[in-house]
Amino acid sequence: MNYRYEIKVPISQYNETIFLNWFLSLTDTRIHNPPREINNIYFDNLNFLSAQNNIDGISKRAKFRVRWYDQNSLLSACHIELKIKDGKLNRKISIPTKLSHKDILSRDFLDLIKDNLDEIDYNHRELCTQKFLPIVQNKYHRTYYLHKDVRMTYDTNVEYKNLKIKSINNWNSDNLNVLELKFNEKQLDQAQELISRMPFVPKRHSKYLRGLSFCKMAVYI
């Protein structure tokens, strides 16, 4: 996948009516894909390197996760994903597997991708020298839209689970929904026009960092 912009707009559930009124006022907007539940397991090392790089605003960094989908109560197989950030641009490396999420709960991330290392265009030195294990699981309901040529997704009912403490199986609910705009350089003017009409302000937002906070493994607001 080529690099693209990903602009995140966290929206409090208390402002849901304001969001819906704005969204319904948009023209040239249509459903892009059927809605579905997204599930992620985020991997990190013992020093939370991936989380710390995000907090520090390191311009070139990566996030490691496994993702699967629940659509109409049918669970997909897992995709292993590396989310690569370079400044304001992002790209995703996705590797399909036949594994279920239960198959990867005790696996090291390098073990999951070792058969595909030659195909991955990424400097994976840290993955080869340190163990990256499952830390946080999250799930949310995602709807997909297209405004002119700008992709929009809206995530609601966001929940997190601590995977480091095996005895705890509780889900923690977030009070933020997340609107995300995804576009390339050609759609930049369209995206800026859309953002200028929005009653909310785009902000840095990480579901992984919020998951660490809700699971009491870090302090993040």
Side-chain angles (χ1 to χ4, degrees):
M1 171 181 276
N2 295 327
Y3 280 96
R4 67 183 181 185
Y5 293 94
E6 296 182 358
I7 305 299
K8 298 179 181 179
V9 186
I11 300 171
S12 169
Q13 293 173 355
Y14 302 109
N15 291 325
E16 182 77 0
T17 300
I18 297 174
F19 166 76
L20 290 174
N21 288 337
W22 167 76
F23 183 81
L24 292 173
S25 73
L26 297 176
T27 57
D28 298 319
T29 300
R30 60 182 176 86
I31 295 174
H32 185 48
N33 283 312
R36 55 188 175 180
E37 182 182 272
I38 292 182
N39 299 264
N40 299 296
I41 290 177
Y42 294 96
F43 288 69
D44 213 333
N45 70 357
L46 296 177
N47 295 320
F48 296 97
L49 176 65
S50 180
Q52 192 61 54
N53 285 344
N54 191 322
I55 292 171
D56 291 343
I58 302 299
S59 60
K60 293 186 178 182
R61 61 181 187 267
K63 180 165 54 183
F64 314 109
R65 71 188 179 201
V66 169
R67 171 171 288 188
W68 69 97
Y69 303 96
D70 183 346
Q71 192 161 1
N72 300 322
S73 298
L74 296 175
L75 296 180
S76 72
C78 289
H79 283 70
I80 304 164
E81 297 186 346
L82 288 80
K83 195 73 179 290
I84 314 298
K85 186 172 183 64
D86 189 351
K88 295 182 179 180
L89 296 173
N90 300 266
R91 69 184 177 99
K92 181 170 66 175
I93 300 170
S94 184
I95 303 169
T97 77
K98 296 182 179 180
L99 300 172
S100 75
H101 70 280
K102 294 180 180 179
D103 297 326
I104 56 92
L105 284 173
S106 60
R107 303 274 291 275
D108 173 54
F109 196 81
L110 177 62
D111 184 43
L112 293 172
I113 66 170
K114 62 183 179 183
D115 293 334
N116 302 90
L117 286 178
D118 292 339
E119 305 170 21
I120 296 176
D121 178 22
Y122 171 69
N123 181 0
H124 45 76
R125 182 177 59 184
E126 70 267 39
L127 293 175
C128 296
T129 58
Q130 305 177 55
K131 282 189 174 296
F132 280 69
L133 298 171
I135 303 295
V136 168
Q137 181 177 344
N138 82 339
K139 61 182 179 180
Y140 45 89
H141 182 265
R142 171 167 283 183
T143 48
Y144 300 81
Y145 304 97
L146 194 65
H147 176 71
K148 298 181 180 178
D149 298 316
V150 177
R151 289 182 57 203
M152 297 194 298
T153 58
Y154 190 52
D155 300 336
T156 57
N157 301 322
V158 184
E159 297 181 86
Y160 308 97
K161 183 197 294 185
N162 187 335
L163 296 180
K164 289 196 72 177
I165 304 177
K166 305 299 183 183
S167 60
I168 294 181
N169 196 35
N170 295 332
W171 287 97
N172 302 276
S173 298
D174 202 338
N175 60 355
L176 289 182
N177 300 331
V178 183
L179 174 69
E180 191 166 351
L181 311 183
K182 305 173 184 182
F183 54 94
N184 60 33
E185 190 75 32
K186 293 180 179 179
Q187 290 121 27
L188 182 58
D189 289 342
Q190 290 182 19
Q192 289 176 332
E193 190 272 338
L194 179 61
I195 292 170
S196 70
R197 296 165 50 196
M198 191 181 298
F200 303 99
V201 178
K203 297 178 181 178
R204 286 185 61 189
H205 183 88
S206 167
K207 290 189 180 76
Y208 173 46
L209 292 186
R210 287 186 69 82
L212 289 176
S213 181
F214 275 88
C215 295
K216 300 186 177 3
M217 287 187 277
V219 178
Y220 173 74
I221 298 177

